[in-house]
Amino acid sequence: RTAGHVPILARVQLRALRGGREEEGAEREAAPRTFVVPSSQCPTLQDGLDVTCKGDTCTVSAGRHMFGLPGPYPLESRSLILTGQEGTWILGRWYGEKATCNMTQVSLYADQSNDTPEDIRMQGRVVHIAEGVWGFSACSIQCVDGVPMSLIERATVDMDACVIGGSGATDDRLARIGITIGDNCKMTMCKSTITWNKQFGIVLGDNTIIDIKSCSILDNKIGISIDGDCRS
């Protein structure tokens, strides 16, 4: 997958200096920047995500935004700070591997009727995190007949004041499972709601660690399913 409007060489140089796979070998880091979407510098969400590197912030204005390339957005071995405002919706799927990401006041949604062949490989997951550290504050993650969030391979997620599940209470708007937490993963949830899932609110794998404080798990067929040993 190539960058949207950023020349490949420039993208590699930015990552070497500020983030991405080469950040460990960087001699210095530039001062953090803020990129606003939309703006003359970043007309689209794809532009903002592609130029945002370690320490930068991508701020997305209210409205509906989509990726400029087919398939889930790959956040791999890099850092991202993404902020929105009331009414900021990002339509599409996310694949994170060995990444660090913090999202604030952003609503994420994916609809299988709009999936590309690349999206279909996500098997209905909106956010799929492998071996990374992610934080969500005042966010919503929704889908229909899918899985809003899944964690695998020692992923760690912290959620505060978030809503995870389907897009509504009727059968045609329910998600399948709110969150799947794979083996050896860790989830911390505070003041969040898991709702409108036709099967389970949360599915826990083996050796998972989950810390739930002041949360609501409601309007799911089954609230929590434990497939192995977990610590709470």
Short mmCIF file of all heavy atoms in Angstrom, two decimals, residues 103 106-108 126-127 129 135-143 146-151 157-168 173-181 187-198 200-202 215-220 223:
data_model
loop_
_atom_site.label_atom_id
_atom_site.label_comp_id
_atom_site.label_asym_id
_atom_site.label_seq_id
_atom_site.Cartn_x
_atom_site.Cartn_y
_atom_site.Cartn_z
N MET A 103 -6.79 7.78 20.09
CA MET A 103 -7.91 8.44 19.43
C MET A 103 -8.80 9.12 20.46
O MET A 103 -9.07 8.54 21.52
CB MET A 103 -8.74 7.46 18.62
CG MET A 103 -8.03 6.81 17.46
SD MET A 103 -9.20 5.91 16.39
CE MET A 103 -8.05 5.11 15.26
N VAL A 106 -13.70 10.48 18.34
CA VAL A 106 -13.85 10.04 16.96
C VAL A 106 -14.84 8.87 16.93
O VAL A 106 -14.80 7.99 17.79
CB VAL A 106 -12.51 9.58 16.37
CG1 VAL A 106 -12.70 9.02 14.97
CG2 VAL A 106 -11.51 10.73 16.34
N SER A 107 -15.75 8.87 15.95
CA SER A 107 -16.67 7.76 15.75
C SER A 107 -16.21 6.96 14.54
O SER A 107 -16.04 7.51 13.45
CB SER A 107 -18.10 8.27 15.54
OG SER A 107 -18.58 8.92 16.70
N LEU A 108 -16.01 5.65 14.75
CA LEU A 108 -15.57 4.76 13.68
C LEU A 108 -16.72 3.85 13.28
O LEU A 108 -17.42 3.31 14.14
CB LEU A 108 -14.38 3.91 14.15
CG LEU A 108 -13.19 4.65 14.76
CD1 LEU A 108 -12.11 3.66 15.18
CD2 LEU A 108 -12.63 5.69 13.81
N VAL A 126 -13.89 -3.98 12.69
CA VAL A 126 -13.69 -2.56 12.37
C VAL A 126 -12.27 -2.15 12.76
O VAL A 126 -11.57 -1.49 12.00
CB VAL A 126 -14.72 -1.68 13.10
CG1 VAL A 126 -14.51 -0.21 12.75
CG2 VAL A 126 -16.13 -2.11 12.72
N VAL A 127 -11.86 -2.50 13.97
CA VAL A 127 -10.49 -2.21 14.45
C VAL A 127 -9.87 -3.52 14.89
O VAL A 127 -10.36 -4.18 15.80
CB VAL A 127 -10.50 -1.20 15.62
CG1 VAL A 127 -9.07 -0.93 16.09
CG2 VAL A 127 -11.18 0.10 15.22
N ILE A 129 -6.33 -5.14 16.25
CA ILE A 129 -5.07 -4.70 16.84
C ILE A 129 -4.23 -5.91 17.20
O ILE A 129 -4.67 -6.79 17.95
CB ILE A 129 -5.32 -3.85 18.10
CG1 ILE A 129 -6.20 -2.63 17.76
CG2 ILE A 129 -4.00 -3.39 18.71
CD1 ILE A 129 -6.70 -1.89 18.98
N GLY A 135 -5.19 3.63 22.71
CA GLY A 135 -6.07 4.27 23.68
C GLY A 135 -7.22 4.96 22.95
O GLY A 135 -7.04 5.56 21.88
N PHE A 136 -8.42 4.87 23.54
CA PHE A 136 -9.61 5.51 22.98
C PHE A 136 -10.30 6.30 24.08
O PHE A 136 -10.55 5.76 25.17
CB PHE A 136 -10.58 4.46 22.42
CG PHE A 136 -10.04 3.62 21.31
CD1 PHE A 136 -9.32 2.46 21.59
CD2 PHE A 136 -10.23 3.97 19.98
CE1 PHE A 136 -8.81 1.67 20.57
CE2 PHE A 136 -9.72 3.19 18.95
CZ PHE A 136 -9.01 2.04 19.25
N SER A 137 -10.61 7.55 23.81
CA SER A 137 -11.31 8.39 24.78
C SER A 137 -12.48 9.08 24.08
O SER A 137 -12.30 9.73 23.04
CB SER A 137 -10.36 9.44 25.36
OG SER A 137 -11.03 10.29 26.27
N ALA A 138 -13.68 8.92 24.66
CA ALA A 138 -14.89 9.54 24.10
C ALA A 138 -15.10 9.17 22.64
O ALA A 138 -15.47 10.00 21.81
CB ALA A 138 -14.85 11.06 24.27
N CYS A 139 -14.86 7.90 22.31
CA CYS A 139 -15.01 7.41 20.94
C CYS A 139 -16.18 6.43 20.86
O CYS A 139 -16.61 5.87 21.87
CB CYS A 139 -13.74 6.70 20.48
SG CYS A 139 -12.29 7.77 20.31
N SER A 140 -16.68 6.22 19.66
CA SER A 140 -17.62 5.13 19.41
C SER A 140 -17.08 4.29 18.26
O SER A 140 -16.48 4.82 17.32
CB SER A 140 -19.03 5.66 19.09
OG SER A 140 -19.06 6.26 17.81
N ILE A 141 -17.28 2.97 18.37
CA ILE A 141 -16.88 2.05 17.31
C ILE A 141 -18.07 1.16 17.02
O ILE A 141 -18.51 0.41 17.90
CB ILE A 141 -15.65 1.22 17.72
CG1 ILE A 141 -14.51 2.13 18.18
CG2 ILE A 141 -15.19 0.35 16.55
CD1 ILE A 141 -13.30 1.39 18.70
N GLN A 142 -18.62 1.26 15.81
CA GLN A 142 -19.88 0.60 15.50
C GLN A 142 -19.80 -0.13 14.17
O GLN A 142 -19.02 0.24 13.28
CB GLN A 142 -21.02 1.63 15.44
CG GLN A 142 -21.22 2.43 16.71
CD GLN A 142 -22.28 3.50 16.54
OE1 GLN A 142 -22.80 3.74 15.45
NE2 GLN A 142 -22.61 4.16 17.63
N CYS A 143 -20.65 -1.15 14.04
CA CYS A 143 -20.81 -1.83 12.77
C CYS A 143 -22.11 -2.62 12.82
O CYS A 143 -22.76 -2.71 13.86
CB CYS A 143 -19.63 -2.75 12.47
SG CYS A 143 -19.48 -4.16 13.57
N GLY A 146 -20.98 -7.46 12.54
CA GLY A 146 -19.54 -7.65 12.54
C GLY A 146 -19.01 -7.54 13.96
O GLY A 146 -19.73 -7.70 14.94
N VAL A 147 -17.71 -7.27 14.06
CA VAL A 147 -17.03 -7.15 15.35
C VAL A 147 -16.34 -5.79 15.40
O VAL A 147 -15.35 -5.57 14.69
CB VAL A 147 -15.98 -8.27 15.53
CG1 VAL A 147 -15.28 -8.15 16.88
CG2 VAL A 147 -16.63 -9.64 15.39
N PRO A 148 -16.84 -4.86 16.21
CA PRO A 148 -16.23 -3.53 16.25
C PRO A 148 -14.74 -3.53 16.60
O PRO A 148 -13.97 -2.76 16.05
CB PRO A 148 -17.05 -2.80 17.32
CG PRO A 148 -18.39 -3.46 17.26
CD PRO A 148 -18.09 -4.92 16.99
N MET A 149 -14.31 -4.41 17.54
CA MET A 149 -12.91 -4.40 17.94
C MET A 149 -12.42 -5.79 18.27
O MET A 149 -13.12 -6.57 18.92
CB MET A 149 -12.69 -3.49 19.16
CG MET A 149 -11.25 -3.44 19.64
SD MET A 149 -11.01 -2.40 21.10
CE MET A 149 -11.32 -0.79 20.39
N SER A 150 -11.19 -6.12 17.83
CA SER A 150 -10.57 -7.38 18.20
C SER A 150 -9.11 -7.14 18.55
O SER A 150 -8.43 -6.31 17.93
CB SER A 150 -10.70 -8.41 17.08
OG SER A 150 -9.91 -8.04 15.96
N LEU A 151 -8.63 -7.88 19.56
CA LEU A 151 -7.26 -7.79 20.03
C LEU A 151 -6.61 -9.16 19.93
O LEU A 151 -7.23 -10.17 20.30
CB LEU A 151 -7.19 -7.34 21.49
CG LEU A 151 -7.41 -5.88 21.86
CD1 LEU A 151 -8.81 -5.41 21.49
CD2 LEU A 151 -7.19 -5.68 23.36
N VAL A 157 -5.16 -2.31 25.21
CA VAL A 157 -6.09 -1.23 24.85
C VAL A 157 -6.66 -0.61 26.13
O VAL A 157 -7.04 -1.32 27.06
CB VAL A 157 -7.23 -1.75 23.96
CG1 VAL A 157 -8.31 -0.67 23.79
CG2 VAL A 157 -6.70 -2.16 22.60
N ASP A 158 -6.71 0.71 26.16
CA ASP A 158 -7.32 1.45 27.25
C ASP A 158 -8.48 2.26 26.67
O ASP A 158 -8.30 3.00 25.70
CB ASP A 158 -6.30 2.39 27.90
CG ASP A 158 -6.89 3.17 29.05
OD1 ASP A 158 -6.93 2.64 30.17
OD2 ASP A 158 -7.34 4.32 28.83
N MET A 159 -9.67 2.11 27.27
CA MET A 159 -10.86 2.79 26.77
C MET A 159 -11.50 3.60 27.88
O MET A 159 -11.69 3.10 29.00
CB MET A 159 -11.87 1.78 26.21
CG MET A 159 -11.32 0.93 25.10
SD MET A 159 -12.57 -0.20 24.44
CE MET A 159 -13.73 0.98 23.80
N ASP A 160 -11.85 4.84 27.58
CA ASP A 160 -12.50 5.71 28.55
C ASP A 160 -13.68 6.41 27.88
O ASP A 160 -13.51 7.06 26.85
CB ASP A 160 -11.51 6.75 29.09
CG ASP A 160 -12.14 7.68 30.12
OD1 ASP A 160 -12.54 7.20 31.18
OD2 ASP A 160 -12.25 8.89 29.82
N ALA A 161 -14.86 6.25 28.47
CA ALA A 161 -16.07 6.93 27.99
C ALA A 161 -16.35 6.62 26.52
O ALA A 161 -16.62 7.53 25.72
CB ALA A 161 -15.97 8.44 28.21
N CYS A 162 -16.30 5.35 26.17
CA CYS A 162 -16.52 4.93 24.79
C CYS A 162 -17.79 4.08 24.66
O CYS A 162 -18.31 3.56 25.66
CB CYS A 162 -15.33 4.12 24.28
SG CYS A 162 -13.80 5.09 24.13
N VAL A 163 -18.29 3.96 23.43
CA VAL A 163 -19.44 3.11 23.12
C VAL A 163 -19.03 2.15 22.02
O VAL A 163 -18.54 2.57 20.96
CB VAL A 163 -20.66 3.94 22.68
CG1 VAL A 163 -21.82 3.01 22.32
CG2 VAL A 163 -21.07 4.92 23.77
N ILE A 164 -19.23 0.84 22.28
CA ILE A 164 -18.81 -0.19 21.34
C ILE A 164 -19.99 -1.10 21.05
O ILE A 164 -20.66 -1.58 21.97
CB ILE A 164 -17.66 -1.05 21.91
CG1 ILE A 164 -16.53 -0.16 22.44
CG2 ILE A 164 -17.14 -2.01 20.86
CD1 ILE A 164 -15.84 0.66 21.40
N GLY A 165 -20.27 -1.37 19.77
CA GLY A 165 -21.34 -2.31 19.44
C GLY A 165 -21.99 -2.02 18.11
O GLY A 165 -21.36 -1.50 17.19
N GLY A 166 -23.28 -2.35 18.02
CA GLY A 166 -24.04 -2.10 16.81
C GLY A 166 -24.42 -0.65 16.66
O GLY A 166 -24.15 0.19 17.52
N SER A 167 -25.09 -0.36 15.55
CA SER A 167 -25.48 1.02 15.28
C SER A 167 -26.90 1.33 15.75
O SER A 167 -27.37 2.45 15.60
CB SER A 167 -25.37 1.32 13.78
OG SER A 167 -26.26 0.49 13.04
N GLY A 168 -27.58 0.33 16.32
CA GLY A 168 -28.95 0.53 16.80
C GLY A 168 -29.48 -0.72 17.46
O GLY A 168 -28.84 -1.78 17.45
N ARG A 173 -29.55 -3.74 12.76
CA ARG A 173 -28.47 -2.80 13.09
C ARG A 173 -27.53 -3.35 14.17
O ARG A 173 -26.63 -2.64 14.62
CB ARG A 173 -29.07 -1.46 13.54
CG ARG A 173 -29.92 -0.80 12.46
CD ARG A 173 -30.51 0.52 12.94
NE ARG A 173 -29.49 1.52 13.17
CZ ARG A 173 -29.72 2.72 13.68
NH1 ARG A 173 -30.95 3.05 14.04
NH2 ARG A 173 -28.74 3.59 13.87
N LEU A 174 -27.74 -4.59 14.58
CA LEU A 174 -26.91 -5.17 15.63
C LEU A 174 -25.55 -5.62 15.10
O LEU A 174 -25.44 -6.09 13.97
CB LEU A 174 -27.61 -6.38 16.25
CG LEU A 174 -28.94 -6.14 16.97
CD1 LEU A 174 -29.50 -7.47 17.44
CD2 LEU A 174 -28.77 -5.18 18.14
N ALA A 175 -24.51 -5.45 15.93
CA ALA A 175 -23.23 -6.07 15.64
C ALA A 175 -23.29 -7.53 16.08
O ALA A 175 -24.26 -7.96 16.71
CB ALA A 175 -22.10 -5.34 16.37
N ARG A 176 -22.25 -8.30 15.77
CA ARG A 176 -22.23 -9.70 16.15
C ARG A 176 -21.62 -9.88 17.55
O ARG A 176 -22.23 -10.44 18.44
CB ARG A 176 -21.45 -10.51 15.11
CG ARG A 176 -21.57 -12.00 15.27
CD ARG A 176 -21.10 -12.73 14.03
NE ARG A 176 -19.68 -12.57 13.77
CZ ARG A 176 -19.16 -11.88 12.76
NH1 ARG A 176 -19.96 -11.28 11.89
NH2 ARG A 176 -17.86 -11.79 12.60
N ILE A 177 -20.40 -9.40 17.74
CA ILE A 177 -19.70 -9.44 19.02
C ILE A 177 -19.05 -8.08 19.22
O ILE A 177 -18.38 -7.56 18.31
CB ILE A 177 -18.62 -10.53 19.05
CG1 ILE A 177 -19.23 -11.91 18.80
CG2 ILE A 177 -17.86 -10.52 20.38
CD1 ILE A 177 -18.19 -13.01 18.61
N GLY A 178 -19.21 -7.49 20.39
CA GLY A 178 -18.66 -6.16 20.62
C GLY A 178 -17.15 -6.12 20.58
O GLY A 178 -16.54 -5.40 19.78
N ILE A 179 -16.49 -6.92 21.43
CA ILE A 179 -15.03 -6.95 21.52
C ILE A 179 -14.58 -8.39 21.70
O ILE A 179 -15.10 -9.11 22.56
CB ILE A 179 -14.51 -6.10 22.70
CG1 ILE A 179 -15.01 -4.66 22.63
CG2 ILE A 179 -12.98 -6.11 22.74
CD1 ILE A 179 -14.65 -3.82 23.85
N THR A 180 -13.59 -8.82 20.92
CA THR A 180 -12.93 -10.09 21.16
C THR A 180 -11.51 -9.80 21.65
O THR A 180 -10.78 -9.04 21.01
CB THR A 180 -12.89 -10.98 19.91
OG1 THR A 180 -12.14 -10.32 18.88
CG2 THR A 180 -14.29 -11.25 19.40
N ILE A 181 -11.18 -10.37 22.79
CA ILE A 181 -9.87 -10.14 23.40
C ILE A 181 -9.12 -11.45 23.38
O ILE A 181 -9.45 -12.39 24.11
CB ILE A 181 -10.02 -9.60 24.83
CG1 ILE A 181 -10.90 -8.33 24.83
CG2 ILE A 181 -8.66 -9.29 25.44
CD1 ILE A 181 -11.18 -7.78 26.21
N MET A 187 -7.03 -5.43 28.45
CA MET A 187 -8.03 -4.39 28.17
C MET A 187 -8.41 -3.68 29.47
O MET A 187 -8.73 -4.32 30.47
CB MET A 187 -9.27 -5.01 27.54
CG MET A 187 -10.50 -4.11 27.49
SD MET A 187 -10.40 -2.83 26.22
CE MET A 187 -10.76 -3.79 24.75
N THR A 188 -8.37 -2.35 29.45
CA THR A 188 -8.84 -1.54 30.55
C THR A 188 -9.98 -0.67 30.06
O THR A 188 -9.85 0.03 29.05
CB THR A 188 -7.72 -0.64 31.11
OG1 THR A 188 -6.63 -1.45 31.55
CG2 THR A 188 -8.20 0.19 32.29
N MET A 189 -11.13 -0.73 30.75
CA MET A 189 -12.31 0.01 30.33
C MET A 189 -12.86 0.80 31.51
O MET A 189 -12.98 0.28 32.62
CB MET A 189 -13.40 -0.93 29.81
CG MET A 189 -13.02 -1.71 28.59
SD MET A 189 -14.29 -2.94 28.16
CE MET A 189 -15.73 -1.88 28.04
N CYS A 190 -13.19 2.07 31.27
CA CYS A 190 -13.76 2.92 32.31
C CYS A 190 -14.89 3.74 31.70
O CYS A 190 -14.74 4.34 30.63
CB CYS A 190 -12.68 3.84 32.89
SG CYS A 190 -13.25 4.93 34.21
N LYS A 191 -16.03 3.74 32.37
CA LYS A 191 -17.19 4.56 31.97
C LYS A 191 -17.58 4.33 30.51
O LYS A 191 -17.96 5.27 29.80
CB LYS A 191 -16.91 6.04 32.23
CG LYS A 191 -16.63 6.39 33.68
CD LYS A 191 -16.30 7.86 33.87
CE LYS A 191 -15.99 8.18 35.31
NZ LYS A 191 -15.59 9.60 35.51
N SER A 192 -17.49 3.09 30.07
CA SER A 192 -17.79 2.77 28.68
C SER A 192 -19.00 1.84 28.60
O SER A 192 -19.41 1.24 29.59
CB SER A 192 -16.58 2.12 28.01
OG SER A 192 -15.48 3.04 27.95
N THR A 193 -19.56 1.74 27.38
CA THR A 193 -20.77 0.94 27.17
C THR A 193 -20.55 -0.04 26.02
O THR A 193 -20.08 0.35 24.94
CB THR A 193 -21.97 1.85 26.84
OG1 THR A 193 -22.20 2.74 27.93
CG2 THR A 193 -23.23 1.01 26.61
N ILE A 194 -20.87 -1.32 26.27
CA ILE A 194 -20.83 -2.34 25.23
C ILE A 194 -22.28 -2.77 25.00
O ILE A 194 -22.92 -3.34 25.89
CB ILE A 194 -19.99 -3.55 25.67
CG1 ILE A 194 -18.64 -3.12 26.23
CG2 ILE A 194 -19.81 -4.51 24.50
CD1 ILE A 194 -17.77 -2.38 25.26
N THR A 195 -22.81 -2.52 23.83
CA THR A 195 -24.24 -2.71 23.64
C THR A 195 -24.59 -3.07 22.20
O THR A 195 -23.78 -2.90 21.28
CB THR A 195 -24.99 -1.43 24.06
OG1 THR A 195 -26.40 -1.68 24.07
CG2 THR A 195 -24.69 -0.27 23.12
N TRP A 196 -25.81 -3.61 22.03
CA TRP A 196 -26.39 -3.90 20.72
C TRP A 196 -25.57 -4.92 19.93
O TRP A 196 -25.19 -4.69 18.77
CB TRP A 196 -26.60 -2.62 19.92
CG TRP A 196 -27.59 -1.69 20.53
CD1 TRP A 196 -28.63 -2.00 21.35
CD2 TRP A 196 -27.63 -0.26 20.38
NE1 TRP A 196 -29.32 -0.87 21.73
CE2 TRP A 196 -28.72 0.22 21.15
CE3 TRP A 196 -26.84 0.67 19.69
CZ2 TRP A 196 -29.05 1.56 21.23
CZ3 TRP A 196 -27.17 2.01 19.77
CH2 TRP A 196 -28.26 2.45 20.53
N ASN A 197 -25.28 -6.05 20.58
CA ASN A 197 -24.58 -7.15 19.93
C ASN A 197 -25.44 -8.41 19.98
O ASN A 197 -25.95 -8.78 21.05
CB ASN A 197 -23.24 -7.41 20.63
CG ASN A 197 -22.31 -6.21 20.55
OD1 ASN A 197 -21.77 -5.91 19.49
ND2 ASN A 197 -22.13 -5.52 21.66
N LYS A 198 -25.60 -9.08 18.85
CA LYS A 198 -26.54 -10.20 18.77
C LYS A 198 -26.00 -11.47 19.45
O LYS A 198 -26.79 -12.37 19.76
CB LYS A 198 -26.90 -10.48 17.32
CG LYS A 198 -25.74 -10.94 16.45
CD LYS A 198 -26.21 -11.27 15.03
CE LYS A 198 -26.71 -10.03 14.30
NZ LYS A 198 -27.08 -10.34 12.89
N PHE A 200 -22.39 -11.78 21.73
CA PHE A 200 -21.73 -11.47 22.99
C PHE A 200 -21.31 -10.00 23.04
O PHE A 200 -20.98 -9.41 22.01
CB PHE A 200 -20.47 -12.33 23.17
CG PHE A 200 -20.73 -13.81 23.04
CD1 PHE A 200 -20.41 -14.48 21.88
CD2 PHE A 200 -21.26 -14.53 24.09
CE1 PHE A 200 -20.62 -15.84 21.75
CE2 PHE A 200 -21.48 -15.90 23.98
CZ PHE A 200 -21.17 -16.56 22.81
N GLY A 201 -21.29 -9.47 24.25
CA GLY A 201 -20.70 -8.15 24.42
C GLY A 201 -19.19 -8.21 24.35
O GLY A 201 -18.55 -7.47 23.61
N ILE A 202 -18.59 -9.14 25.13
CA ILE A 202 -17.14 -9.31 25.17
C ILE A 202 -16.84 -10.80 25.18
O ILE A 202 -17.47 -11.57 25.90
CB ILE A 202 -16.52 -8.66 26.42
CG1 ILE A 202 -16.85 -7.16 26.49
CG2 ILE A 202 -15.01 -8.85 26.44
CD1 ILE A 202 -16.40 -6.49 27.77
N CYS A 215 -18.67 0.55 34.00
CA CYS A 215 -19.08 0.31 32.62
C CYS A 215 -20.46 -0.33 32.56
O CYS A 215 -20.94 -0.91 33.55
CB CYS A 215 -18.07 -0.58 31.92
SG CYS A 215 -16.44 0.18 31.67
N SER A 216 -21.09 -0.24 31.40
CA SER A 216 -22.39 -0.88 31.16
C SER A 216 -22.24 -1.88 30.03
O SER A 216 -21.73 -1.54 28.95
CB SER A 216 -23.44 0.17 30.79
OG SER A 216 -23.64 1.09 31.85
N ILE A 217 -22.66 -3.12 30.29
CA ILE A 217 -22.68 -4.16 29.26
C ILE A 217 -24.12 -4.63 29.17
O ILE A 217 -24.60 -5.40 30.01
CB ILE A 217 -21.73 -5.31 29.62
CG1 ILE A 217 -20.30 -4.78 29.82
CG2 ILE A 217 -21.74 -6.38 28.53
CD1 ILE A 217 -19.31 -5.82 30.27
N LEU A 218 -24.84 -4.11 28.19
CA LEU A 218 -26.29 -4.31 28.16
C LEU A 218 -26.79 -4.49 26.74
O LEU A 218 -26.13 -4.13 25.77
CB LEU A 218 -27.01 -3.15 28.83
CG LEU A 218 -27.05 -1.79 28.12
CD1 LEU A 218 -28.12 -0.91 28.76
CD2 LEU A 218 -25.72 -1.06 28.19
N ASP A 219 -28.00 -5.09 26.63
CA ASP A 219 -28.65 -5.32 25.35
C ASP A 219 -27.80 -6.18 24.42
O ASP A 219 -27.73 -5.95 23.21
CB ASP A 219 -29.01 -3.99 24.68
CG ASP A 219 -30.07 -3.22 25.47
OD1 ASP A 219 -30.90 -3.86 26.13
OD2 ASP A 219 -30.04 -1.98 25.42
N ASN A 220 -27.12 -7.17 25.02
CA ASN A 220 -26.42 -8.20 24.27
C ASN A 220 -27.07 -9.54 24.63
O ASN A 220 -27.60 -9.70 25.72
CB ASN A 220 -24.93 -8.24 24.65
CG ASN A 220 -24.28 -6.87 24.62
OD1 ASN A 220 -24.02 -6.32 23.56
ND2 ASN A 220 -23.99 -6.31 25.79
N GLY A 223 -23.58 -11.21 27.96
CA GLY A 223 -22.68 -10.08 28.25
C GLY A 223 -21.22 -10.42 28.01
O GLY A 223 -20.55 -9.78 27.21
#
